[in-house]
Amino acid sequence: MSLHPPFFISLSGIEEEKRLKSITYIKDSLAAAEHLGADTIVIHSGSAAKISREEAMRLSCDTLEKVIEAIGDTDIK
């Protein structure tokens, strides 16, 4: 089974507040997936309409690194 987190997640958003909220949405989705027995979550990265692809990738990588840090102290596997 897989779980799809909210579509409004933005890994590459230029507004840091939205990117940081996305970390919480992903953490919550991971916890829900674990509770439901799902072993996969599918995350859409969001739009890169106002920035270059390179900048979008840089921001996405930074956000995902923060996700990994955020779940490092939890029981989520």
Side-chain angles (χ1 to χ4, degrees), residues 8-72:
F8 46 82
I9 286 175
S10 180
L11 299 178
S12 61
I14 55 176
E15 295 177 42
E16 186 165 3
E17 182 180 351
K18 285 185 180 180
R19 288 193 309 117
L20 295 177
K21 284 183 180 179
S22 294
I23 295 166
T24 301
Y25 301 141
I26 293 169
K27 270 183 65 174
D28 292 347
S29 296
L30 286 167
E34 186 172 53
H35 180 73
L36 294 169
D39 58 3
T40 303
I41 67 168
V42 179
I43 303 169
H44 290 273
S45 62
S47 173
K50 296 180 182 181
I51 57 177
S52 69
R53 285 181 171 228
E54 292 79 14
E55 180 67 5
M57 286 301 295
R58 187 190 69 72
L59 289 169
S60 294
C61 288
D62 179 67
T63 305
L64 289 173
E65 286 173 3
K66 286 178 171 56
V67 169
I68 293 167
E69 290 172 12
I71 64 172

